[in-house]
Amino acid sequence: VQLQASGGGLVQAGGSLRLSCAASGGSFRGLATAWFRQAPGKEREFVAGVTRSGGGTSYADSVKGRFAISRDNRKNTVILQMNSLNHEDTAVYYCAADPSVIMSAMALAAQYDYWGQGTLVTVSS
């Protein structure tokens, strides 16, 4: 499965962005999918994830109430809707997927076999 992340860009604080992760060579059905991000000089961190069934979601505390992850099986994409963005959300955002990840391990980057190339989100103050 190849993943392609898109939708990043420059946005003012308080604004919104919508990231997309498209899959080719396979389907998101049966894949746990997550978004991670990595800011300059920091380690990659979990942002949000959706379970293999698509029925469960998980969020980092820092984005709860502001970000929403969803999966569109018809379009074979996973969306990260980001609202109320602030400077601390500036990072390269990566989508990741794996058929074996369960909810309790969703935040662990090492569990994912498939990764997209990343899309840069810059939030200006």
Side-chain angles (χ1 to χ4, degrees):
V1 176
Q2 291 80 45
L3 303 180
Q4 179 76 34
S6 62
L10 175 64
V11 63
Q12 287 189 332
S16 298
L17 276 178
R18 191 170 186 255
L19 304 184
S20 295
C21 180
S24 59
S27 171
F28 278 120
R29 292 180 190 269
L31 295 178
T33 309
W35 287 93
F36 289 80
R37 66 187 181 186
Q38 188 165 17
K42 295 187 177 181
E43 293 188 356
R44 191 168 298 189
E45 65 174 0
F46 172 77
V47 177
V50 57
T51 59
R52 289 173 293 183
S53 68
T57 56
S58 179
Y59 295 92
D61 288 343
S62 59
V63 307
K64 279 180 182 176
R66 301 188 297 123
F67 291 11
I69 188 170
S70 60
R71 193 172 81 189
D72 187 332
N73 290 328
R74 186 168 54 90
K75 295 182 179 179
N76 206 25
T77 60
V78 173
I79 302 296
L80 183 69
Q81 177 65 43
M82 306 187 297
N83 300 322
S84 302
L85 286 161
N86 57 59
H87 182 67
E88 287 69 38
D89 296 316
T90 294
V92 177
Y93 284 70
Y94 300 89
C95 59
D98 194 275
S100 303
V101 172
I102 57 176
M103 179 70 89
S104 60
M106 192 167 288
L108 302 176
Q111 297 292 312
Y112 294 85
D113 279 343
Y114 306 116
W115 288 85
Q117 83 290 0
T119 184
L120 176 62
V121 172
T122 304
V123 184
S124 62
S125 308

